[in-house]
Amino acid sequence: FAGVPMWAYDSEGKKIGESRTFDSDKLFQLTGIRERRRCAEDEWPSDMGYHASVRALEMAGVSADSLVGIVVASVTERQNFPDAAKKIQLRLGARNVQMTYDVNNACAGSPTALIQANALSRDFEGNWLVVASECLPKINDYTDINSHLFGSGAGAVVCSHTNQERGIVGIYSRSEPFDGNINMIFKDKAKDCIRMPDGRAVLKVAVESMVNS
């Protein structure tokens, strides 16, 4: 990102004003971001999600055979049919899984997947694997002034229903597409890339929503 001319883009994907160039120190000063990880050319969310899943199962001390459900949060899987959850199930050899599906909910994908797994665990008793995995550089435009905010990464957790006061004891969620919020983050049809015209406003809304929850 450092040294690359970048522009701000509006909600229609059009450039706003003149280009700006930042060095690595300035980017760190503005965002606190020193580096971003980028997946390999032939690597996709289901690939990274599989490796995260293996580690999660090892850390939880359970086997893939104990899984009854897999939920994967991702908006960047190359091929959605079959979904990433089924690809991970296949690679894990998890033959006892009763339900798998993907959640397409961008930044809120991980907590959304956890909320759904938590609810479903009451009817499908056993271990649930929740995975969040993204390869956002694949849909990134490096001339976008907010492009440094998007990277690659994956994480996974194993959860199961319990009657004890531990784990997920309550949830809060809200959707606010009104007053122009629906265009805070969108996919540019012309360049087939992700856009976030006002990164500061998105961060402000996100932090305030978490605090108010």
Side-chain angles (χ1 to χ4, degrees), residues 96-153:
N96 295 321
V97 170
Q98 301 173 48
M99 183 180 296
T100 65
Y101 62 93
D102 290 358
V103 172
N104 181 335
N105 206 21
C107 300
S110 181
T112 300
L114 275 171
I115 288 170
Q116 294 186 13
N118 178 59
L120 288 167
S121 68
R122 300 184 182 99
D123 294 316
F124 296 87
E125 292 188 7
N127 291 320
W128 279 78
L129 177 65
V130 178
V131 184
S133 184
E134 295 290 6
C135 295
L136 290 170
K138 292 182 183 294
I139 58 170
N140 204 356
D141 175 7
Y142 291 106
T143 69
D144 192 312
I145 203 166
N146 290 305
S147 59
H148 57 280
L149 299 176
F150 306 110
S152 302

Side-chain angles (χ1 to χ4, degrees), residues 46-175:
S46 55
D47 300 312
M48 297 192 303
Y50 164 72
H51 294 295
S53 298
V54 170
R55 294 185 64 182
L57 290 170
E58 291 175 349
M59 292 176 68
V62 300
S63 69
D65 288 336
S66 71
L67 297 176
V68 296
I70 302 175
V71 185
V72 176
S74 182
V75 298
T76 52
E77 180 66 10
R78 176 180 58 176
Q79 181 186 27
N80 298 110
F81 302 98
D83 54 45
K86 286 182 177 61
K87 295 170 191 171
I88 292 174
Q89 177 191 1
L90 178 64
R91 293 181 67 175
L92 290 174
R95 294 183 176 274
N96 295 321
V97 170
Q98 301 173 48
M99 183 180 296
T100 65
Y101 62 93
D102 290 358
V103 172
N104 181 335
N105 206 21
C107 300
S110 181
T112 300
L114 275 171
I115 288 170
Q116 294 186 13
N118 178 59
L120 288 167
S121 68
R122 300 184 182 99
D123 294 316
F124 296 87
E125 292 188 7
N127 291 320
W128 279 78
L129 177 65
V130 178
V131 184
S133 184
E134 295 290 6
C135 295
L136 290 170
K138 292 182 183 294
I139 58 170
N140 204 356
D141 175 7
Y142 291 106
T143 69
D144 192 312
I145 203 166
N146 290 305
S147 59
H148 57 280
L149 299 176
F150 306 110
S152 302
V157 63
V158 178
C159 56
S160 60
H161 182 64
T162 177
N163 291 320
Q164 301 178 14
E165 288 294 320
R166 53 184 295 189
I168 301 174
V169 295
I171 61 172
Y172 173 85
S173 182
R174 188 173 180 84
S175 178

